[in-house]
Amino acid sequence: MNALARHRVYVTSDLATSGVVGLERDQTHYLINVLRLESGDRVIVFNGRDGEFEAEITAVQKKSVDLTLLDCLRPQEEVPDLMLAFAPVKRARIDYIAEKATELGVGIIQPMMTEFTVMSRVNSDRLMANAVEAAEQTGRITLPDIREPVSFSRLLEDWPASRHIVFCDEKQAGSHPHAMADQVADLSGPAAIFIGPEGGFSPLERDKLNAMENAIPVSLGANILRADTAMVAALSVWQAVAGAWRNAHGST
């Protein structure tokens, strides 16, 4: 059976062939009571550090399950050096952002408090839970670094010259749909995609970004997109022309 066709489980324990991993209560409930798995069934486990392993359910208790690790299916991969810096939005949409950013290969998720940001609190544990679920479902074996919220100004202090900033600017709306692809196609190395709040970046914030040599304002087309939609569009364009998908072979 293909590894992606089996149920994948994220664990925090270290992983090594022949090792035994105990699952938490919620994971036990999901595997045994929801998926109806039993002793002898196999799953895929990963921890974001030691690669991906096939594992067999070898002990089932009422509130716990033990997995015996079998073969290593994939060695650990490097976390992509791609940051998503975004202004927090409402709860359901911020869940969506964490989920899709993980699916689209982001290595760092950085909530960013801008002048027009409405939401003042971010539940980092909830963001991580969404990222873990997305990684389990999509076959990713790395997890993004979920960072604590920081102000726009603080984020730009001592910004490394080696990390490009691609910021989605609604003032650029109306440009040709391929404009962003053309602008970032020749970039390489660490990068950050900046997504502003509903009201966009303030004039002062836009001026700060435009004054940076390694920052590029981009348009995502004629329409002004919601933050979560802009995030998916921008990350997809980046990955296709400058990121992980550019050199991918055999994918569909």
Side-chain angles (χ1 to χ4, degrees):
M1 183 184 297
N2 185 288
L4 292 181
R6 298 196 188 124
H7 301 293
R8 302 182 76 245
V9 181
Y10 169 75
V11 298
T12 57
S13 305
D14 293 337
L15 303 179
T17 301
S18 300
V20 177
V21 174
L23 296 186
E24 299 175 355
R25 180 174 180 175
D26 289 346
Q27 292 173 312
T28 295
H29 170 74
Y30 182 69
L31 290 184
I32 303 305
N33 298 324
V34 177
L35 298 180
R36 301 296 183 182
L37 300 184
E38 55 190 24
S39 183
D41 286 335
R42 295 185 178 186
V43 295
I44 305 299
V45 296
F46 68 104
N47 63 3
R49 304 185 306 274
D50 300 321
E52 180 182 69
F53 284 75
E54 184 175 35
E56 182 177 328
I57 298 175
T58 50
V60 179
Q61 307 295 329
K62 185 176 181 180
K63 298 181 180 179
S64 65
V65 161
D66 284 346
L67 303 176
T68 297
L69 302 179
L70 304 175
D71 296 328
C72 179
L73 301 176
R74 285 190 288 169
Q76 188 59 37
E77 303 168 352
E78 291 186 10
V79 178
D81 199 355
L82 175 63
M83 172 189 287
L84 171 67
F86 71 98
V89 292
K90 295 179 180 179
R91 177 173 172 175
R93 290 167 59 196
I94 200 172
D95 289 349
Y96 179 88
I97 286 174
E99 174 186 299
K100 299 309 174 187
T102 302
E103 292 180 18
L104 290 167
V106 167
I108 302 169
I109 296 179
Q110 175 65 72
M112 169 181 62
M113 299 302 183
T114 68
E115 185 175 340
F116 297 150
T117 299
V118 175
M119 302 300 293
S120 59
R121 294 183 179 180
V122 175
N123 186 333
S124 298
D125 290 339
R126 185 179 177 88
L127 291 185
M128 178 54 76
N130 280 282
V132 166
E133 184 175 349
E136 287 177 333
Q137 293 177 351
T138 59
R140 178 171 171 170
I141 62 173
T142 61
L143 288 176
D145 176 11
I146 308 288
R147 297 187 176 176
E148 291 299 317
V150 65
S151 71
F152 175 88
S153 296
R154 179 67 186 87
L155 182 60
L156 292 186
E157 289 180 9
D158 302 319
W159 186 268
S162 61
R163 184 179 294 279
H164 301 289
I165 296 176
V166 178
F167 71 97
C168 300
D169 184 5
E170 74 280 0
K171 296 298 183 182
Q172 303 286 323
S175 299
H176 192 279
H178 293 298
M180 177 181 173
D182 294 338
Q183 288 172 282
V184 305
D186 294 329
L187 299 181
S188 61
I193 307 294
F194 274 41
I195 305 292
E198 295 298 329
F201 291 108
S202 71
L204 179 59
E205 290 165 345
R206 189 177 294 107
D207 288 344
K208 285 185 177 181
L209 289 169
N210 281 319
M212 299 176 67
E213 292 185 0
N214 56 347
I216 303 172
V218 298
S219 168
L220 295 173
N223 296 332
I224 296 176
L225 305 179
R226 294 197 328 182
D228 47 345
T229 307
M231 176 272 301
V232 171
L235 287 176
S236 297
V237 172
W238 172 268
Q239 292 289 38
V241 301
W245 302 347
R246 178 170 56 180
N247 298 318
H249 298 284
S251 60
T252 57

